Amino acid sequence: MSMLRPLVLTLVAASVLAGCSLADQGRSLLGGEPESGPVAFTHSSGLAAVTLRYGNRDKLTQLLGSGIDLWSVDNDLMEAQAALNPAQIETARKLGMGISQLPDRRLFNRFDAGYHTYEQVASKLRALAQKRGDIATIVDLGDSWEKTQKRADRDLLALKIGKGSGKPVVLFAACHHARELATPEMVLRMAELLIGQYGVDPEITAWVDTREIWLVPMVNPDGHALATRGDSQRKNTNDVSGGKRRVGVDLNRNYATAWGTVGDSPHPESDTFRGTAPFSEPETKAMRDLMTAKKPVFLLTFHSYSNMVLWPWDHKDASPLDPRLPAIGKEFGKLSGYVAQQGSELYLNGGDDVDWAFETLGTLSYTIEVGSRSDGFDPPYSRVDRFWNENRPMMLYALKVADRPAGVFGPALRDLAVTEAGILVRSESPVERAEAFLGTPGASGTGIPLAIAGNEARGQFATTASRQLLWVHARGRNGEWGPWEVTWSR
Ligand SMILES: [Zn+2]
C-alpha cells in the first residue's frame, strides 16, 4: 500500500496542475480536440468520477456501450458526468473526449436525514391508506429480488388512489435506480397531497373522483437499502449472473423494447447490465404486469439528475408518431422549468420503461430527471422542497388531462371563480366556445354554455344546496377542447 501511495499522489498532483486550464477545456472555443486531464483511481470501487466533453451524441452512445455508469448529460455544453474504470477512460480518450476528474466524494452516497428508507416508505403508505380507506389501498405488486431469494423481506408497494373502476389510469413511479434519493420523495409527496387535500382542494378532489392513480415510490427497494448505507448503488442486487464488485441488474435496461441492442451492457459488473433476458428481474416483471393490467394513460417515471423531461423514443431517432407526446412533454418543461426533449436526442439506449410502455400500451410516458448537476444523486434533504415545487405542477397536469390528453392542444383556462354574478374564467388563447358541468363532466358540447367576451367567459348556473364540483373547459379555434379547470360551486 505504501508503495502505491507516491504514484497516486503524483497522479493527483498532475491533475491539479492540469486544473488551470479546466475552464478552457469546457468550452472548446479554442478549436481542436478537447483537452484530457490525467485521472487517478483512488476510490475503493476502482472507478473515477469524471466530466466528459463528449463532442457528439454518437460517441456518447458508443461509450455507453462499454457499460459506463452515466450520471447526467448536458446537451448544450456537450458535457456528461459519469463514473468510469481505467479501460473505459481509455475508450473515452480514444473517442477523443475531453476528461476532467471530479472529487471521489461523488462516488459515495450521503443519505441525509429526512429521506425515507424502504421501511419508512412502507409505513407511510400504510398510514395514508389507513387514513383514507375510502379512496386509498395498498397493493403489493410483488417481491423484490432479495425476497425471492429469502434474503430480505421487501415488496414492491403501490398506493392506489381513486374510486370505482374504469377511470383513466395515471402511474407515478420512482427509484428504478436506487441511489437517486430525491425520486421516491416526489411520489410520496404526491400521495400525501392527494390524501390530505381530498375534499378540500377542488382540483385534487376532482382528479381523485375521476381518475385511478397508482403511486410506486420505490421500484428498487433492495438497491435502495445499499444506497441508504452510503453505496452509490444504481442497480438491484441480483448476483446470480455474476458481478462481484458492483452487483445487480440495471432495472431500466431490463424492459423488452430494444433490449440488448444499444446503450446497455452484457457484463454483470457494469452499471448498465441489462440482465440475462428481458424482464429477468422480479421488479421489472411487477411493473410490466401492473402496466399490462392497467394500461395507464400516463407514466411519469422519476430519475436523477439533469433537470430534464424526456419522452420516447430513447432507443431510436424516429419521431414517436403521437403528437400528444412531445406537446405534453413541452408543457411539462414549461411547468417544471426543466429542459424537455425526446430522449434519443441525448443518447440512445434500449430496455427502458418509457419506450416499452409507449410501444406496447401507447402510454404517454415520461422520464423526469430530478435535480441539477450540482445536486447529483444525494442532495441535502432540504433541496426536496424545491424539487417538489418543480415537479408537482407537471404531475397535477398529467392528472388534469388524463381523461383527454389532446386537451393540450386546446385553450388553457385560468382564474376560474364563482361569484354572486356567476361563473367567470379567463383564457390564455382565443376561445370559440366554453361550457361548465356541475358534479361530474359529461360529453364535450353538452354542458352549461358560457358567454364569450374577448378572453373571458361568463355564465350562470342554478345554485345547489350542497357544495359540488364545477368543471369548466373551452374549445379553441382549432376545434380542440382544452383541459379542465375545477372549483367549488359555492
Ligand atoms: Zn436513473
Side-chain angles (χ1 to χ4, degrees):
M1 196 60 205
S2 60
M3 292 297 286
L4 285 174
R5 193 170 296 271
L7 172 64
V8 166
L9 287 177
T10 308
L11 285 169
V12 170
S15 174
V16 169
L17 285 176
C20 58
S21 61
L22 281 183
D24 295 331
Q25 287 175 17
R27 303 295 170 257
S28 57
L29 290 175
L30 303 176
E33 295 278 291
E35 283 180 54
S36 197
V39 175
F41 292 90
T42 47
H43 186 257
S44 58
S45 63
L47 301 173
V50 295
T51 298
L52 299 167
R53 288 166 298 282
Y54 53 87
N56 67 55
R57 186 203 67 167
D58 292 341
K59 285 185 184 176
L60 187 61
T61 299
Q62 211 176 323
L63 187 61
L64 212 58
S66 76
I68 65 158
D69 176 17
L70 184 65
W71 295 349
S72 76
V73 178
D74 184 321
N75 226 11
D76 292 331
L77 293 175
M78 292 265 185
E79 283 185 7
Q81 295 181 340
L84 273 63
N85 64 31
Q88 292 162 341
I89 289 282
E90 277 317 300
T91 305
R93 287 196 204 284
K94 281 182 191 142
L95 288 166
M97 293 185 180
I99 302 172
S100 42
Q101 190 156 14
L102 295 164
D104 275 356
R105 138 90 192 91
R106 300 291 297 269
L107 295 163
F108 297 99
N109 239 27
R110 180 180 46 202
F111 193 74
D112 202 0
Y115 284 118
H116 291 79
T117 62
Y118 166 78
E119 289 74 17
Q120 290 167 331
V121 167
S123 68
K124 175 149 276 183
L125 295 182
R126 269 184 229 113
L128 289 170
Q130 203 162 21
K131 186 173 173 192
R132 289 306 303 245
D134 54 333
I135 55 169
T137 324
I138 285 223
V139 181
D140 178 355
L141 302 177
D143 297 342
S144 74
W145 183 81
E146 287 185 28
K147 186 163 181 176
T148 67
Q149 304 296 306
K150 304 193 166 33
R151 296 186 194 176
D153 184 16
R154 301 187 194 100
D155 298 305
L156 264 73
L157 296 178
L159 192 67
K160 177 196 170 198
I161 299 180
K163 291 167 143 184
S165 56
K167 315 271 175 73
V169 173
V170 175
L171 171 57
F172 300 116
C175 202
H176 274 76
H177 292 149
R179 65 191 169 192
E180 298 169 10
L181 299 183
T183 65
E185 307 299 328
M186 299 300 101
V187 178
L188 280 181
R189 288 196 180 196
M190 179 51 68
E192 287 176 318
L193 178 70
L194 296 173
I195 297 291
Q197 288 298 304
Y198 182 68
V200 180
D201 179 275
E203 295 213 335
I204 298 291
T205 308
W207 312 149
V208 170
D209 279 347
T210 58
R211 284 93 172 97
E212 186 174 315
I213 307 160
W214 285 79
L215 304 115
V216 186
M218 205 172 275
V219 174
N220 182 4
D222 294 341
H224 191 267
L226 290 182
T228 62
R229 299 204 300 261
D231 289 2
S232 183
Q233 179 73 16
R234 167 183 170 98
K235 305 183 288 179
N236 75 356
T237 61
N238 182 345
D239 61 4
V240 285
S241 48
K244 292 168 190 70
R245 196 164 235 166
R246 290 164 83 80
V247 297
V249 172
D250 184 344
L251 298 179
N252 213 33
R253 299 291 182 275
N254 190 240
Y255 287 75
T257 296
W259 180 86
T261 61
V262 65
D264 65 4
S265 171
H267 303 298
E269 294 200 2
S270 162
D271 260 313
T272 53
F273 176 46
R274 61 195 178 217
T276 50
F279 296 117
S280 57
E281 304 311 295
E283 294 87 355
T284 50
K285 276 193 194 107
M287 292 302 289
R288 175 197 63 190
D289 293 348
L290 172 66
M291 289 192 265
T292 305
K294 289 294 163 187
K295 298 183 177 49
V297 177
F298 280 103
L299 163 65
L300 272 66
T301 184
F302 294 89
H303 287 257
S304 281
Y305 51 89
S306 288
N307 284 354
M308 298 193 91
V309 175
L310 304 167
W311 57 84
W313 302 109
D314 284 338
H315 74 282
K316 61 181 178 184
D317 285 317
S319 295
L321 299 180
D322 184 336
R324 301 172 306 172
L325 198 60
I328 292 168
K330 283 170 193 160
E331 188 63 29
F332 285 167
K334 270 190 245 166
L335 291 167
S336 58
Y338 291 175
V339 173
Q341 62 188 72
Q342 185 173 325
S344 61
E345 289 180 50
L346 282 185
Y347 55 85
L348 300 179
N349 72 266
D352 66 22
D353 59 345
V354 290
D355 274 16
W356 179 82
F358 178 64
E359 178 184 70
T360 312
L361 305 165
T363 297
L364 300 167
S365 305
Y366 299 88
T367 301
I368 316 290
E369 295 281 358
V370 178
S372 69
R373 293 208 300 174
S374 57
D375 288 312
F377 295 122
D378 59 348
Y381 184 76
S382 57
R383 290 283 293 159
V384 171
D385 286 342
R386 182 193 168 105
F387 302 149
W388 175 233
N389 286 333
E390 292 164 346
N391 283 272
R392 184 185 59 246
M394 63 181 147
M395 296 170 86
L396 291 173
Y397 189 83
L399 294 172
K400 181 191 282 253
V401 297
D403 62 332
R404 219 180 65 81
V408 70
F409 301 116
L413 301 179
R414 58 183 168 85
D415 305 335
L416 172 62
V418 173
T419 68
E420 307 233 313
I423 304 165
L424 172 64
V425 70
R426 294 191 175 84
S427 171
E428 292 178 2
S429 59
V431 163
E432 189 186 75
R433 237 174 122 172
E435 64 179 3
F437 293 89
L438 267 178
T440 48
S444 296
T446 64
I448 305 159
L450 307 184
I452 312 290
N455 64 347
E456 288 185 358
R458 292 167 191 275
Q460 302 288 335
F461 63 98
T463 49
T464 51
S466 63
R467 188 181 69 164
Q468 291 190 46
L469 291 173
L470 180 83
W471 303 64
V472 176
H473 68 170
R475 198 172 77 183
R477 289 178 182 159
N478 62 359
E480 290 283 0
W481 290 94
W484 295 107
E485 286 293 295
V486 186
T487 188
W488 294 116
S489 63
R490 49 182 292 167

